[in-house]
Amino acid sequence: VVEAVDLSDFSSMLGDMGAEANFDFNRAHIAVDVTTNLGVPVKASVELIPYYNGKADESKAVPATLVLDPAASTSEEKVTRFWLANNDESLPAGHTFVKTDILSLLRNIPEKIEFRLDAGTDPSRESVLEPAADYILKANYNFELPLEFGEDFEITYRDTISGMPEILGSILAKGSKVKLAGEISNALPLGLDLRLNFLDSNGKVVPLADGCGVQTIAPCNLDATASKTPLEIVLALKDGASADIASIELMFNANAAG
């Protein structure tokens, strides 16, 4: 059995954003239901293989083993439910936990995850076959990724606005403050910390006064529509800082605490 979980929309979104991302999901899992009327104990090898740039990365494949008890009769289908995950914290009733390092596949979001299942008999156990019977063996799976993150989760997005007018540096050099006003829309289910940095003509950060250049951006609304946060950032130079201001760097950071 070969199936695939398509994550291309998510991975391409991050690529278009130019985001630096490190994901640390806590409760990602795959629920696998195997149905059979075989009177034979089955041992199935599973491989979860990530794809990047259209190619399978076999070096990052994650293995798992599923062991199925035989059905009591060919006239009845036996369903065995497995729960493939790093831990059994959210293991539902009626499922067999199979420790599987799914989280390692999600540190860098792949385009897709291929699910390969190769089933065979378990030679260490007794089997009963009925030559005239019709046998079935089928598997259904469900990949779930609850949005609960660990302490290592982080997304950082940077953008730079260049061509700052010379008068900006002159104003700030006199000890004056500049206020940026506007509105920011956020469709992500994550709060964001926004920080603005002045960069000089060499690309180095120009120090700001304490408490300047930072603001919190609200997550999306409960109905998943984009929230709107008024932008009210005050900028002032730290005492003794250079007034050479060539550009402004915007840095958005989302983390587990956000």
Side-chain angles (χ1 to χ4, degrees), residues 164-173 178 198 235 237 243 245 247-248:
M164 293 294 104
E166 291 184 8
I167 192 173
L168 176 61
S170 300
I171 292 173
L172 292 168
V178 173
F198 285 140
L235 299 169
L237 295 179
I245 299 172
S247 58
I248 296 178

Side-chain angles (χ1 to χ4, degrees), residues 207-210 236-242:
L208 296 175
D210 292 343
L237 295 179
K238 190 172 184 178
D239 290 344
S242 169

Side-chain angles (χ1 to χ4, degrees), residues 50-241:
Y51 275 68
Y52 301 97
N53 298 318
K55 296 181 180 180
D57 189 343
E58 302 280 351
S59 68
K60 295 183 179 178
V62 173
T65 300
L66 310 182
V67 178
L68 287 75
D69 291 326
S73 168
T74 56
S75 62
E76 296 182 7
E77 296 181 359
K78 178 181 177 64
V79 180
T80 307
R81 294 182 167 87
F82 298 96
W83 190 260
L84 279 61
N86 283 65
N87 57 66
D88 60 357
E89 289 180 2
S90 53
L91 180 68
H95 287 71
T96 299
F97 171 61
V98 180
K99 186 172 179 60
T100 310
D101 190 13
I102 293 176
L103 300 185
S104 67
L105 298 176
L106 302 174
R107 291 288 179 177
N108 295 309
I109 301 297
E111 295 163 2
K112 70 176 181 179
I113 298 174
E114 190 172 83
F115 180 88
R116 299 179 187 174
L117 186 148
D118 185 15
T121 59
D122 186 348
S124 65
R125 304 168 67 185
E126 292 184 357
S127 304
V128 177
L129 287 175
E130 298 178 27
D134 293 325
Y135 289 105
I136 64 166
L137 177 65
K138 56 186 179 181
N140 294 315
Y141 73 96
N142 185 36
F143 179 84
E144 295 185 357
L145 188 61
L147 286 177
E148 178 180 323
F149 305 107
E151 62 182 11
D152 292 333
F153 170 78
E154 183 178 15
I155 297 178
T156 300
Y157 169 69
R158 291 182 174 86
D159 197 6
T160 302
I161 302 172
S162 57
M164 293 294 104
E166 291 184 8
I167 192 173
L168 176 61
S170 300
I171 292 173
L172 292 168
K174 296 177 181 178
S176 300
K177 296 180 180 180
V178 173
K179 183 177 181 180
L180 296 183
E183 188 175 75
I184 295 181
S185 296
N186 181 18
L188 296 173
L190 298 165
L192 303 173
D193 294 326
L194 169 61
R195 180 172 186 83
L196 270 65
N197 292 317
F198 285 140
L199 303 180
D200 64 20
S201 53
N202 294 316
K204 295 182 179 180
V205 175
V206 178
L208 296 175
D210 292 343
C212 289
V214 294
Q215 183 171 336
T216 298
I217 309 301
C220 68
N221 299 315
L222 293 177
D223 61 0
T225 58
S227 66
K228 295 183 178 180
T229 300
L231 179 64
E232 298 178 348
I233 293 185
V234 175
L235 299 169
L237 295 179
K238 190 172 184 178
D239 290 344

